[in-house]
Amino acid sequence: RDSRWLAGNMQYRHLLRLPDFTAMGRWQLIQAMLLFAGAPLYTAVLLLATLATLRGEQAGSLWPMSLAWPIALYSPKLLAYAQVLINDRARYGGAWRFLAGIAAETIFTLLLDAVATVNKTLAMLRLAFGARPGWLPQNRADRGVTWAEATILYWPHTLVGIVVFASLKSAALWALPWASGLLLAIPFCVVTARPGFSKWLARRGIAAIPEELFAVHPPGT
């Protein structure tokens, strides 16, 4: 599905040549394309930093770029978390439950984003070489994803992760928050797709919206 959206957004480049768009309209189209075009740039920074380390060079100029990506990406969400903690934490089950949700969502997002950037990069490469996106049926059954299925899907991501962390050596710890999802892609897919895992989170009200919390834990319970 993500690859399908990617292909659609990249087609906006044809609209940029039309004469009747306002400057704001063109900027919004560019932003829509950058939602996906930024992924190969981030992947390139990670691979270039790895290559620099292998050659015995300092990758200092690349690390600030890789740090700027999550700051720009996550700042709006972190500010929203702060606003809820200050003004509205009771509706989200109190400070501790909300903080538990923040921790769970942050870990999930960091692991997922590492995998998603490689996915988008591979999808853009396929488009560049003439592949056409399809609309394959999705697994919507309440059965999760098997280890074999996850391995077929994510062995390239795991291989990239192994190469990156084996090459970075002393810098591997610094890259851990942003790239560890590549190493954990297969177990991450299997665990988070398990129906029991989501039910466990729901029973505890972790990462839940107020409507979910009050449905499971009515006021006074």
Side-chain angles (χ1 to χ4, degrees), residues 3-80:
S3 298
R4 182 86 174 192
W5 278 103
L6 183 154
N9 283 26
M10 291 300 105
Q11 291 176 2
Y12 291 163
R13 69 186 187 276
H14 302 297
L15 301 178
L16 294 174
R17 296 195 291 265
L18 297 179
D20 297 329
F21 275 100
T22 64
M24 180 57 69
R26 294 181 193 280
W27 171 240
Q28 288 174 336
L29 290 175
I30 291 171
Q31 282 187 309
M33 290 187 287
L34 288 176
L35 287 173
F36 294 98
L41 296 177
Y42 180 81
T43 304
V45 168
L46 180 63
L47 296 178
L48 287 172
T50 304
L51 180 60
T53 304
L54 285 173
R55 296 176 60 180
E57 301 173 0
Q58 294 294 325
S61 61
L62 292 174
W63 295 125
M65 293 174 61
S66 62
L67 185 60
W69 168 280
I71 289 175
L73 192 63
Y74 303 138
S75 289
K77 179 171 62 177
L78 295 176
L79 291 172

Side-chain angles (χ1 to χ4, degrees), residues 76-89 98 102:
K77 179 171 62 177
L78 295 176
L79 291 172
Y81 285 157
Q83 182 182 18
V84 170
L85 281 171
I86 294 170
N87 299 322
D88 207 21
R89 57 184 179 271
F98 187 65
I102 291 176

Side-chain angles (χ1 to χ4, degrees), residues 35 61 99 101 142 144-145 161-162 178:
L35 287 173
S61 61
L99 286 170
D142 193 25
V145 177
I162 292 171
W178 324 120

Side-chain angles (χ1 to χ4, degrees), residues 2 10 46 119 129 150 164 180 185 191 197 199:
D2 208 31
M10 291 300 105
L46 180 63
N119 273 348
F129 285 98
V164 166
S180 57
V191 172
F197 180 71
K199 291 176 182 177

Side-chain angles (χ1 to χ4, degrees), residues 140-158:
R140 296 186 181 275
D142 193 25
R143 66 170 182 83
V145 177
T146 67
W147 286 96
E149 290 170 330
T151 301
I152 292 171
L153 287 170
Y154 294 115
W155 71 263
H157 307 69
T158 306

Side-chain angles (χ1 to χ4, degrees), residues 77-214:
K77 179 171 62 177
L78 295 176
L79 291 172
Y81 285 157
Q83 182 182 18
V84 170
L85 281 171
I86 294 170
N87 299 322
D88 207 21
R89 57 184 179 271
R91 293 183 63 239
Y92 288 83
W96 288 110
R97 182 172 286 168
F98 187 65
L99 286 170
I102 291 176
E105 193 276 338
T106 300
I107 294 170
F108 179 90
T109 300
L110 287 172
L111 294 175
L112 179 64
D113 280 352
V115 177
T117 53
V118 174
N119 273 348
K120 293 170 185 175
T121 301
L122 294 174
M124 292 190 75
L125 287 173
R126 289 194 293 268
L127 287 176
F129 285 98
R132 296 181 62 85
W135 192 267
L136 298 176
Q138 300 174 23
N139 169 22
R140 296 186 181 275
D142 193 25
R143 66 170 182 83
V145 177
T146 67
W147 286 96
E149 290 170 330
T151 301
I152 292 171
L153 287 170
Y154 294 115
W155 71 263
H157 307 69
T158 306
L159 181 60
V160 170
I162 292 171
V163 171
V164 166
F165 281 97
S167 304
L168 289 176
K169 299 176 182 177
S170 60
L173 186 62
W174 193 95
L176 201 60
W178 324 120
S180 57
L182 298 174
L183 287 176
L184 300 174
I186 293 173
F188 176 68
C189 174
V190 172
V191 172
T192 56
R194 286 178 176 171
F197 180 71
S198 60
K199 291 176 182 177
W200 184 87
L201 292 173
R203 284 196 301 268
R204 286 156 180 80
I206 298 176
I209 62 175
E211 289 77 6
E212 291 176 303
L213 284 175
F214 288 120

